[in-house]
Amino acid sequence: MEKTAILDKTLEVFKQVFGESSEVNEYASSDTIDKWDSLNHILLIQELEKAFGLKFDLFEIIELRDVKGLVDYIFSKEKQ
């Protein structure tokens, strides 16, 4: 899957988890999205796992706190 397709799908998941009115783009992070707390981070990871059919590594999800990082991570997993 191309990175642009991964980004589009990831942004859709963000809207599901944080609400349609969320201003989410490639540069959004846990610092710029008010609702992105630890609980919603876990919900986000679960929804991304479902959407992409993969499992995130526990230690890596702690570090993934922005959209670009998540897209890059998903892209790298799909290349394996």
Side-chain angles (χ1 to χ4, degrees), residues 28-31 36 41-42 44-45 56-73:
S29 71
S30 59
D31 293 331
W36 194 344
H41 185 70
I42 298 302
L44 175 65
I45 296 300
F56 284 75
D57 179 83
L58 176 63
F59 296 106
E60 291 175 319
I61 64 170
I62 295 168
E63 301 297 321
L64 297 171
R65 305 299 287 182
D66 60 53
V67 174
K68 185 175 181 336
L70 286 163
V71 169
D72 290 343
Y73 179 83

Side-chain angles (χ1 to χ4, degrees), residues 11-63:
L11 294 177
E12 286 301 315
V13 172
F14 266 81
K15 288 179 182 178
Q16 290 172 356
V17 172
F18 298 113
E20 286 293 326
S21 63
S22 296
E23 284 296 320
V24 181
N25 59 44
E26 181 179 5
Y27 305 103
S29 71
S30 59
D31 293 331
T32 62
I33 299 174
D34 291 335
K35 293 181 182 179
W36 194 344
D37 57 17
S38 57
L39 177 60
N40 281 330
H41 185 70
I42 298 302
L43 295 172
L44 175 65
I45 296 300
Q46 288 176 331
E47 292 302 316
L48 287 168
E49 287 178 336
K50 285 185 217 173
F52 290 98
L54 56 85
K55 282 296 217 186
F56 284 75
D57 179 83
L58 176 63
F59 296 106
E60 291 175 319
I61 64 170
I62 295 168
E63 301 297 321

